[in-house]
Every structure is written in C-alpha cells, then in structure tokens.
Amino acid sequence: MSVTQVNAEPPRKSEPEHIGGFSRHSFRAKFIAVVSAAVLFDLMLAGGVAIWNVQRLSDDATEKVQTGLSDATDEYLRTYIDTTALRTELLLDQVYSEVEALGAAMQTLIDNPETGTAVGLTVEEDPKLGDKLVYNADAGWAQNEPGESVVSVWGYLLDDDGNPLPEVADQIADSSAFNLVAPGMMKTGSPKLQLYYVGPKDRPIMRTTPHTGQAQTFDELYPGHNDNNFWDFFFPGVYEGWQGWLEDASTRPVPRDIVGTAPYIDAITGARIVSFFSPLWNAERTDVAGMTAVDITLDQLSSLVENVKIAETGFGFLTSSSGNVLAVSDAGALTLGLVSVGGEGQGVTGINRFLNQSRYPELANLKLPHDAGTVVDTITLGSEEHFASREGESYIVVLKELAPINLWDGDKIVSENLTLGFMVATDEIYAPLEEVRTQLAEATERIVTWQIAALLVSLLIVTLAVYAVSGRITKGLSELANAAKSLQNKDYSVRVAIPTRDEVAAVGLAFNNMAEEISYHTENLENLVEERTRKLETANGEIVALNQRLKSENLRLGAELDVAKRIQEMVLPRLSELEGIPQVEIAAFMEPADEVGGDYYDVLFDGSRIKVGIGDVTGHGLESGVLMLMVQSVARALQEKGDRDPVAFLDVLNRAVYKNITRTRSDKHLTLAFVDYEDGKVTLSGQHEEVLIIRATGETERIDTMDLGFPVGLEADILPFVATLDLDFGPDDILVLHTDGITEAENAAGEMYGLDRLSQSAHDHRGQSAKGIAEAVIKDVKSHIGDYKVFDDITLVVLKHR
C-alpha cells in the first residue's frame, strides 16, 4: 500500500511581530475611535434635535396640558353635576316620602273603615282638634274656625241650611285624623309650604295645614269654583288618570304613585311652588278615594341650583323637558338671555322662561338630553344689540337628565324629566393655560441648555473611561492572541492568565480548557483509540447476547399470549349454543384491542332461564384476560349450582374474584352486569354501561345501571350496593348490551361514537334478526373509526325476543 504524506501544517500568513501594542492599527485604538465617534455623534444628534424641537416640545406640552385640563374640567363638571343632581333627587325623594307617609296613614283608615270612623268621631269630639264648621251664607261654603288645620266644604256639598250632606258629614268625620297627623308632619322633615287632603270626587272636601283662609282666597281668585266639582275645576285629568292606572297599570308613566305639577304661583300664599299628589284608593282598590298632597316652595329647589359655584361666574339652572327654566340665579338668567313670559292657567299662574325663546340662537336651539346620561358641550353666544359685550364668548354647557317623575300637565298625567344644567365661560376655565405655556417654554429652554452641557461633560468622561478600560480589555485579548499563536506553533503547554471575571475571562478559561484537552488527547490518542475499540467490542457482544434473549423472550411471550387468546376464545359461547335457545335470539361480537382482551360476556342457559353477563375489566392484555376467565369460571359454577337470586349471585362472585385478586396482588377490577330472562321478563343487576331496550313499537329506553351494583373485585363486600330492576321483555323487543369500547370509539378527528349513535343504529335496524342488528351496529362502528387505531376492546350483545 502506498501512503501519500500530507503536510500537517498549512501555509501561514505573515503576522505582526508583536500583538497588543498601541498603534493606529491596534484593536485598542480602533475601540477608542469607535466609542468616541459614537458619543460625539450622539452629542451632535441629541443637541441638534433638542434645539430643533424646543418649540415643538413646548407646543406638544401645551397641547397635552390643555387636553389634561379639559379632561380634568370635564370630569370635575360631570362629578359636580352628578352630585347636585343626586342632592336634587334626594330632596324630591324626601318630599315624596313625607306625602306618602301622610297618604299611608289616611289609607290605613280607609282600609279599616270601622277604626277610621271611631278615630274620626273621637277627634271631632275633641274641643281642640274637632272641626267646628261655620257656614258663610254670602259665599255659600262652610269652613272651620282657626286652628291647626283648615277644612273647607264647598257649596254643592251643603244642603239648603248650609249643613254638610250626610255622606259629606261622614267624609269630614272619617278624614279628621288628618288633624292628628298632618300638623306634626308639617313641623318636621324637609321644609314644606303646606300639607293637604282632598276627598273623593263626589265628596271633595279639602283639609290643609297650617290653617289659612283658603275658601276666601279661592272666592277672590277663582270665581265660580264653589259651584263646580273641585277636581274638574282645579286639577282636570288627575283623578281620571289615577282611575286609568287601576284599570291598566301599564298606563302609569313612571312606576311610582306620586304625581307632581309644574312650578306655579300659589293662589293662597303667592309663593312660587311645586305640588306633589299621592292618590288614595278605596278599600277594594277599585276606585280613587281622594289624595294627600304637599306644596314646597321653588326656593328649595332653586337654592340647590343657585348655590352652584364654578370658577368665578359659572352657574347652574334647572329646566323642564320643554325647556322652561324653573330655577336660575339672576346673573345666570342674564347669561342665558331668558325672557319671562306670563303663563295663565285655571287656578295657577305659571313661571315661563323658555330656552327656545332665548336671545341667543345657540341656546334657543340647544337640545336637552334624553336617555343620554351627562352631556358636555361647548357653545358660543352670538352677538345681540343689548349684549354686545358678550359677542362671540364661548361657554361650556353641562346637562344631566334627572330621574323621571309623573307630571300633571294641566290635562293629563305624563312622564317628565327635569334637566340640571351648568354653564361656565371657557376663557375663565382655561385662563391658567397661557401662564402654563410661558412656563413650559422657559422650562424647555433650560432643559435643552442643561442637556447640551451634560452631553459635553459625558463625552469627556466617557472618552477618559474608554481609554482607561480599553487597556484592561485589550490586554486580555492580546494575551489570548499570543497564546493562540503559540498553540498554532504546537506549544500545547501554553496557558492564559485570567485576572478578571468578565466575558474575556470566560474566553480565556475556555481557551485553557481547550489547550489542556488538546494536550491530553494529543499525548494519549493511540491509547484512547485502543481502549475505545475494546469497549466497543465488549458492548457489541453484550448487544448480540441481549438480542438473543429478547428474541427468545418475545417468542415465549407470543406463545403465552396465543395460548391465553385461544383459551379466551374457547370459553366464549358457541354459535350453536346461542341458536339452541328457543325463547330469545342472541347475537354477540367481541374484538380485543390487544392479543388478549379485558371484556367479558357470557350466555348461560338452563332450561327456561337465560342469564347473560357483560363486563369490562380495567385495561386490557394478559392480566385483564385472566381476570375475565376467573369471572367466567365463577359465574358458570354459580349457574350450575342453581343460584337463582341475582343479588346473591353477584355477592358470591365478587367475594371469589376479590380473594383471587388479593392473592395475585393485582390492581384490576371490572364493571359487571347480568340480565336474567324468564317468562317474558328480564331482571337487571350489577353496575355497567347503560342498557338499551328497543320496544316492538319502536320506542327506545335507556336503563342506567349505576345504582344496581358496584365494581367487582374492588371491595370484599358489595352486597349493600347491589340491587335489581325488573322489566317486561315481550315479542320483538330488543335488548342491547355493550362495553365502552363501542361508545368511546374515536375517529381521526377525536369524535366518539357515543351512546346516541349506538341507539339510533340499533333502532334503524330493529326489523332484522339479532345477528343482523349486531352486524349492522359493528359495521357502523367500524365505519366511524375508519383507519384510526382501536384503543379499547369492543363487545356487543343483542337479544331479540322471538
């Protein structure tokens, strides 16, 4: 053999004599140049960008401040108006509660007429509280003398002698408890102008506290009232509205009985007031029995609105859904450009100041919110001849709709939503913005100046630091380069000093380990090759021997599994046995997932009795197959012994199997159920999968066996858990038993076959024989599985009554 000598050393390039010196070509010089250039570039770029962006930074900051101020102002105004709205609604709710409390007291007396009459007569007999009516012949009405309350009886409720008609007299007595309750309520709770009570439409006497000359005032302001029904004259539509609620509750606009009025000038007191009515019902709740009511001054609502303070000139206002401003300060009314218009009504003088009649077009066209929560908007008040000083002034407007109330609009009861509003001049809110802009500009200029100075100082410090550190860094690299050169010259003893603990030190440590390995392997290469060869020969011999043993073991295990499989097949019922059973057709199918399955089924026939068992041992394979054979042997022995009690049968079988499992130290057990047939009936016992019964009529029944037993071989005594279930099984009825290998069979998509599909398949083929049904179901299962792997034993038993 000819051998060609190969040069072990490749040609080398020329290299500098010394590595690590400081020169223009050295790594240290390049390192300092690159870092210094980067810092200088950063200084120039940062300084130039900072100077170029001074004005832009100021503008952006101002914009952000303005945005933040706008958001903060918006949030403040929303919170403020929400709080004010809540206080307004709380005031109204307190007034509602008081008039409802008065109404509840009067309603109790109506609902208990005997008590109401007794209380009324007692009050009437009291010298201080009783009503002492005095007839005014000139005016034609009767009214009591001054006291805590006043009761007025109109002329059409009196007889020719000026005395109340009998039914009116009863109404006066029955309602005199008002004199007990109302004066006390008047003096407590929220401030009220007056509380009053009005009787039903056919007896509308009027009681009011405190005492006033109400009849005299009505004569002066409302001529003809004494000859007309009180309800129709003063509050047309209210009484009929309440009656409509009784007939159809859905006609009530707001789900609360309280009805309010729009603000008006009270005829008796001359005050600007709002009234709230609470209806009274007869005891049968079939008609209206009058009302209780309260008057509060508009000043109580106005105080909440007029006390709103936003900046210097901001103000609040309260308006109805029609835009009638009910409450606003004088300055606010001037800003809104409101014009007061007289409002006349029957019994009331309205307060009409409508936004749509404002001198300013944008306010006249302002849309009030409806189901929109809180609305924040900006408007500009247009110029007007008398308001030239406000030309073009911008305002922020905040509007919030209050909770709806029932409102009498002078004709009927409707739903009404008051709206609370705030207005504040935009210039006043954003006055600090110009000052902020100036301060931001000055601060930005200072920041840029200091930034340039800091960058110059940074450049100097970084340059000095780089120069100092570069020597330490490049020293290690230089030593590595020199050591690598020595290693290239086959000096395997070379090592690098490692004075630091950084990445360069890690490279040096790796280099030393590599040099040591090269040195070791170079010196011991032949010994290592020889030793490795011996080890490989030894390992190869061991592998050959192991393969021989594995082959022998596989042959032995295969033979054992074949024997077990053959034994398992031998003990299964033969076709000739099943065909010899006269009463019932029986067809069965079993296919193990491995060589030996863990499913069990058996058919035991003894004269007129047929016993069919089905079970599923945990897992599958040889150990599961052995347990299945145990169960088959014990079941056959018990059947031959003539044990006809299904419960005792399962109990004895479990005890025998449990002891065998304990002896073999196995962790296996099984679900097991039996079907006993005799004289057209089947008895189910034991716990297994659901049993399907398809009746001759086509009806399908699913029988759950969960409560009929307990897993066999898991506990020594399962007798307390075993039960039976008797079912009819007549001609053409079909009974289907299965293991979970069918219902849990999966296809490639992971979809299970399922009990519903099994039931449907058996039902679709119910006209066939038991064998035909079994073959159709198994075919359907196989079609579902397709080419996917079968993971569990598949067992199916079909019984069909001949």
Side-chain angles (χ1 to χ4, degrees):
M1 178 183 293
S2 62
V3 179
T4 302
Q5 182 69 31
V6 179
N7 188 4
E9 295 184 5
R12 302 176 185 175
K13 298 180 180 180
S14 60
E15 298 180 359
E17 292 291 332
H18 177 65
I19 298 175
F22 185 82
S23 66
R24 64 188 181 89
H25 296 293
S26 66
F27 174 77
R28 186 178 183 186
K30 295 175 182 178
F31 179 80
I32 293 173
V34 169
V35 174
S36 299
V39 174
L40 179 61
F41 176 78
D42 180 70
L43 170 64
M44 295 175 63
L45 180 63
V49 171
I51 294 173
W52 180 75
N53 276 328
V54 167
Q55 188 58 48
R56 182 173 181 178
L57 176 63
S58 178
D59 293 342
D60 289 346
T62 303
E63 181 180 354
K64 290 184 180 299
V65 170
Q66 183 172 358
T67 301
L69 184 58
S70 298
D71 292 343
T73 302
D74 183 87
E75 182 64 25
Y76 162 72
L77 292 174
R78 287 178 182 272
T79 303
Y80 194 179
I81 200 168
D82 287 345
T83 304
T84 306
L86 179 60
R87 292 175 60 198
T88 304
E89 291 175 347
L90 285 175
L91 171 63
L92 294 176
D93 194 63
Q94 183 178 5
V95 174
Y96 296 167
S97 298
E98 291 181 4
V99 72
E100 284 174 337
L102 177 60
M106 301 300 291
Q107 186 68 56
T108 300
L109 297 177
I110 295 172
D111 293 341
N112 299 274
E114 294 182 358
T115 302
T117 300
V119 171
L121 292 175
T122 302
V123 172
E124 286 297 310
E125 293 173 358
D126 186 277
K128 184 177 180 180
L129 297 176
D131 299 314
K132 300 176 180 60
L133 294 178
V134 177
Y135 176 62
N136 187 321
D138 294 334
W141 42 255
Q143 190 165 273
N144 67 327
E145 297 177 351
E148 291 285 345
S149 303
V150 57
V151 57
S152 301
V153 185
W154 317 117
Y156 64 93
L157 302 176
L158 303 173
D159 60 19
D160 295 338
D161 297 326
N163 298 313
L165 298 172
E167 61 274 16
V168 176
D170 291 341
Q171 184 67 36
I172 294 171
D174 291 344
S175 63
S176 61
F178 178 90
N179 297 343
L180 284 173
V181 180
M185 293 182 64
M186 187 67 192
K187 298 172 184 177
T188 59
S190 61
K192 298 172 283 293
L193 185 65
Q194 58 190 12
L195 287 167
Y196 53 96
Y197 159 86
V198 179
K201 196 165 188 177
D202 58 342
R203 292 159 285 161
I205 66 167
M206 185 175 183
R207 292 182 176 275
T208 306
T209 185
H211 189 285
T212 61
Q214 62 184 9
Q216 293 89 334
T217 304
F218 285 0
D219 285 347
E220 181 179 349
L221 296 178
Y222 313 121
H225 80 92
N226 197 40
D227 299 323
N228 292 277
N229 185 278
F230 179 88
W231 287 98
D232 295 335
F233 189 85
F234 288 101
F235 304 115
V238 173
Y239 203 92
E240 290 74 15
W242 285 335
Q243 288 177 322
W245 294 0
L246 287 174
E247 295 175 2
D248 182 3
S250 64
T251 61
R252 182 171 58 175
V254 177
R256 192 166 186 173
D257 287 344
I258 297 296
V259 175
T261 69
Y264 62 94
I265 304 299
D266 182 54
I268 298 175
T269 62
R272 299 184 303 168
I273 68 170
V274 178
S275 297
F276 296 99
F277 309 145
S278 179
L280 299 173
W281 318 105
N282 62 9
E284 297 78 16
R285 299 300 189 272
T286 58
D287 200 359
V288 181
M291 73 173 180
T292 56
V294 62
D295 290 343
I296 64 170
T297 63
L298 197 59
D299 294 340
Q300 293 172 246
L301 289 175
S302 300
S303 63
L304 290 175
V305 176
E306 294 173 3
N307 288 335
V308 169
K309 296 297 181 184
I310 307 172
E312 293 294 328
T313 62
F315 63 92
F317 60 92
L318 185 67
T319 176
S320 67
S321 59
S322 63
N324 187 12
V325 178
L326 310 178
V328 66
S329 64
D330 292 340
L334 181 65
T335 301
L336 292 173
L338 298 179
V339 178
S340 295
V341 180
E344 299 294 331
Q346 185 168 284
V348 297
T349 301
I351 303 169
N352 298 331
R353 295 180 295 182
F354 289 93
L355 285 173
N356 59 12
Q357 297 178 3
S358 169
R359 294 183 174 90
Y360 302 109
E362 287 207 30
L363 280 173
N365 297 322
L366 184 66
K367 301 297 183 182
L368 298 179
H370 183 64
D371 295 332
T374 301
V375 176
V376 180
D377 199 0
T378 301
I379 64 172
T380 301
L381 298 183
S383 60
E384 293 288 342
E385 182 180 355
H386 297 96
F387 297 89
S389 60
R390 293 187 178 274
E391 182 176 358
E393 188 168 358
S394 178
Y395 280 83
I396 295 176
V397 180
V398 188
L399 301 172
K400 181 177 179 62
E401 187 179 52
L402 302 184
I405 63 172
N406 292 313
L407 177 75
W408 173 62
D409 65 357
D411 179 53
K412 58 185 178 300
I413 300 174
V414 297
S415 176
E416 167 67 6
N417 290 85
L418 300 180
T419 297
L420 183 64
F422 289 172
M423 276 188 67
V424 60
T426 306
D427 292 344
E428 188 176 352
I429 285 291
Y430 297 116
L433 185 59
E434 287 300 324
E435 182 179 354
V436 171
R437 285 177 178 171
T438 302
Q439 293 176 355
L440 284 174
E442 294 174 354
T444 303
E445 186 176 353
R446 288 195 301 271
I447 290 171
V448 171
T449 301
W450 282 105
Q451 183 180 8
I452 294 174
L455 287 173
L456 290 172
V457 173
S458 297
L459 175 63
L460 177 62
I461 294 173
V462 169
T463 302
L464 294 175
V466 168
Y467 182 81
V469 174
S470 64
R472 184 177 180 85
I473 294 175
T474 56
K475 180 180 179 182
L477 295 175
S478 298
E479 290 185 3
L480 279 170
N482 290 323
K485 184 177 180 181
S486 298
L487 189 65
Q488 185 179 14
N489 294 328
K490 297 187 177 180
D491 180 7
Y492 301 125
S493 63
V494 66
R495 300 291 184 270
V496 178
I498 305 174
T500 64
R501 302 180 65 180
D502 54 14
E503 289 81 356
V504 176
V507 174
L509 181 61
F511 178 88
N512 289 342
N513 292 335
M514 179 184 69
E516 187 174 349
E517 288 285 332
I518 292 173
S519 176
Y520 175 78
H521 286 289
T522 301
E523 296 172 0
N524 297 281
L525 182 59
E526 292 183 0
N527 293 332
L528 287 172
V529 170
E530 184 178 351
E531 181 180 354
R532 290 289 174 84
T533 301
R534 286 197 303 271
K535 289 181 178 180
L536 287 173
E537 290 176 351
T538 302
N540 185 58
E542 293 176 351
I543 290 171
V544 170
L546 181 59
N547 283 336
Q548 290 294 333
R549 288 198 299 273
L550 287 175
K551 183 177 181 180
S552 299
E553 185 68 17
N554 285 337
L555 290 173
R556 183 184 65 80
L557 288 175
E560 289 179 356
L561 289 174
D562 285 341
V563 171
K565 179 179 181 181
R566 178 60 180 157
I567 293 172
Q568 189 176 48
E569 291 174 348
M570 289 172 62
V571 299
L572 292 176
R574 296 183 180 277
L575 180 61
S576 59
E577 294 179 43
L578 301 180
E579 291 176 346
I581 299 174
Q583 301 96 330
V584 179
E585 288 183 60
I586 300 178
F589 175 87
M590 185 173 80
E591 180 181 287
D594 291 331
E595 288 84 350
V596 181
D599 279 0
Y600 160 78
Y601 86 88
D602 202 357
V603 179
L604 306 174
F605 176 58
D606 180 15
S608 62
R609 288 196 311 140
I610 304 172
K611 193 176 192 75
V612 180
I614 189 165
D616 187 359
V617 182
T618 54
H620 39 82
L622 182 59
E623 189 175 349
S624 298
V626 170
L627 179 55
M628 186 274 280
L629 292 174
M630 290 182 193
V631 173
Q632 194 275 342
S633 299
V634 176
R636 168 65 73 177
L638 291 173
Q639 177 75 359
E640 293 300 323
K641 182 177 175 291
D643 196 336
R644 302 174 69 90
D645 182 0
V647 175
F649 190 97
L650 264 175
D651 178 45
V652 175
L653 186 147
N654 175 75
R655 292 177 186 277
V657 171
Y658 177 79
K659 290 178 180 179
N660 281 346
I661 289 175
T662 303
R663 174 178 291 176
T664 58
R665 297 180 180 177
S666 173
D667 61 350
K668 301 290 185 180
H669 60 275
L670 74 155
T671 60
L672 180 61
F674 287 99
V675 176
D676 290 271
Y677 170 81
E678 188 173 11
D679 297 334
K681 291 187 178 295
V682 293
T683 301
L684 301 182
S685 60
Q687 184 187 97
H688 188 59
E689 304 295 325
E690 289 189 42
V691 176
L692 297 177
I693 297 181
I694 303 173
R695 298 296 182 185
T697 60
E699 179 184 359
T700 299
E701 299 177 13
R702 291 168 54 166
I703 311 301
D704 191 351
T705 63
M706 182 60 64
D707 296 331
L708 300 181
F710 195 79
V712 172
L714 194 60
E715 295 289 338
D717 182 13
I718 65 170
L719 185 60
F721 304 101
V722 179
T724 62
L725 178 63
D726 294 329
L727 299 167
D728 291 331
F729 191 63
D732 291 329
D733 286 349
I734 300 168
L735 190 144
V736 181
L737 305 174
H738 68 282
T739 60
D740 60 3
I742 289 182
T743 55
E744 295 179 5
E746 294 185 4
N747 58 17
E751 179 185 7
M752 292 186 180
Y753 185 72
L755 186 60
D756 290 339
R757 193 171 298 181
L758 170 61
S759 175
Q760 187 62 46
S761 180
H763 182 273
D764 291 344
H765 299 88
R766 67 186 184 279
Q768 301 183 30
S769 63
K771 181 180 178 181
I773 295 171
E775 290 176 348
V777 170
I778 294 301
K779 181 179 180 181
D780 193 33
V781 173
K782 295 285 187 173
S783 174
H784 172 78
I785 296 173
D787 296 330
Y788 197 58
K789 178 177 174 58
V790 177
F791 292 99
D792 201 359
D793 306 330
I794 295 176
T795 300
L796 177 70
V797 180
V798 178
L799 290 77
K800 183 171 184 179
H801 198 289
R802 295 183 187 275

